[in-house]
Amino acid sequence: AHFKQAGIKNVAMEVSSHGLSLGRVECISFNQVVFTNLSQDHLDFHTNMAAYGEAKKQLFVGDAKQAVINLDDEYGRKIYQEIASKKDVLGYGLKPQKVAGVYATDIQYLKDGIQLTLQTPKGKSDC
């Protein structure tokens, strides 16, 4: 309500799997959603990885127009395969894949950081 009163039209927010499971974001329309990974962090709530994955997937099978998905994650690849024909999806990762739109090559781990070439649909960039 405060954001709306202030005229804010766009917000980035982290949506937890708990929030998805408990219906806390049912009234929110998302334009874009991002999947980073699925790990064993919330098994106390979801009891198993399948239930945890299904909770996270709700965000991607919903009404969001665009999705960005980490294809290095096994569950991310599953979500990608399920929704890619239904909405605008951009895959990313460190491992080049046929469907990844953004991925890293020439990765060098240095003592003061990481150097890589970022491959994108619009070209490449050294970082």
Side-chain angles (χ1 to χ4, degrees):
H2 296 290
F3 287 170
K4 188 171 184 174
Q5 289 174 345
I8 296 170
K9 297 188 187 288
N10 297 298
V11 175
M13 63 186 284
E14 180 179 3
V15 177
S16 72
S17 58
H18 294 74
L20 289 162
S21 293
L22 298 172
R24 293 179 182 156
V25 294
E26 286 179 354
C27 296
I28 299 175
S29 291
F30 294 96
N31 289 325
Q32 299 164 329
V33 291
V34 178
F35 177 87
T36 54
N37 68 340
L38 188 71
S39 64
Q40 297 184 357
D41 291 343
H42 301 293
L43 293 184
D44 57 327
F45 181 83
H46 297 289
T47 67
N48 62 56
M49 291 298 284
Y52 183 21
E54 286 300 309
K56 275 199 171 190
K57 188 172 78 171
Q58 291 178 47
L59 197 57
F60 296 86
V61 297
D63 63 352
K65 295 169 188 66
Q66 297 177 319
V68 179
I69 298 177
N70 176 5
L71 297 176
D72 289 342
D73 184 275
E74 179 182 350
Y75 203 80
R77 290 189 298 275
K78 289 179 185 177
I79 293 174
Y80 183 95
Q81 290 170 353
E82 185 171 332
I83 69 168
S85 64
K86 300 172 188 159
K87 59 181 69 187
D88 184 14
V89 183
L90 177 66
Y92 74 92
L94 294 177
K95 304 169 189 164
Q97 300 173 31
K98 292 179 185 176
V99 294
V102 177
Y103 58 93
T105 60
D106 306 319
I107 302 168
Q108 297 178 35
Y109 298 95
L110 309 170
K111 68 178 183 176
D112 59 343
I114 300 172
Q115 190 173 24
L116 57 86
T117 300
L118 189 63
Q119 307 284 344
T120 77
K122 296 190 176 202
K124 63 182 183 175
S125 177
D126 293 325
C127 305

